[in-house]
């Protein structure tokens, strides 16, 4: 259980910045899955992030790593 809790906190920490802005250009692209989340209050964004499961956080983080890599290549 402790290992999963640790993984959950690591993923939340890594994903925290994503609920504020795109890591590529620090804006909020319309085609980003977090576009709507970023329009919420900080409290709502944080609550949303904290409600995600390990699998959801992994998917979110992996999507953004892939997106950032693609944008940096172009």
């Amino acid at each position: 259980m402790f290992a999963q809790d640790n993984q959950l906190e690591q993923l939340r920490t890594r994903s925290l910045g994503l609920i504020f802005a795109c890591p590529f250009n620090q804006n909020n692209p319309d085609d980003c899955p977090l576009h709507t989340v970023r329009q919420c209050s900080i409290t709502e964004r944080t609550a949303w992030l904290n409600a995600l499961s390990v699998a959801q956080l992994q998917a979110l983080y992996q999507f953004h790593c892939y997106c950032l890599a693609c944008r940096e290549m172009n």
Side-chain angles (χ1 to χ4, degrees):
M1 183 74 160
F2 178 73
Q4 185 169 353
D5 289 343
N6 190 33
Q7 181 183 17
L8 184 63
E9 286 309 309
Q10 287 178 353
L11 284 165
R12 280 189 186 137
T13 300
R14 290 181 186 165
S15 301
L16 185 62
L18 297 174
I19 63 174
F20 291 96
C22 172
F24 180 70
N25 55 13
Q26 299 302 308
N27 66 8
N28 187 17
D30 292 335
D31 61 343
C32 179
L34 292 178
H35 180 78
T36 303
V37 173
R38 291 179 183 140
Q39 295 174 339
C40 297
S41 70
I42 293 172
T43 303
E44 291 170 317
R45 292 182 225 183
T46 304
W48 177 86
L49 184 69
N50 289 335
L52 297 179
S53 68
V54 169
Q56 291 170 314
L57 285 163
Q58 286 173 329
L60 175 70
Y61 186 72
Q62 289 173 348
F63 172 86
H64 279 83
C65 286
Y66 176 77
C67 182
L68 180 60
C70 289
R71 288 177 183 250
E72 287 177 339
M73 287 182 0
N74 290 329

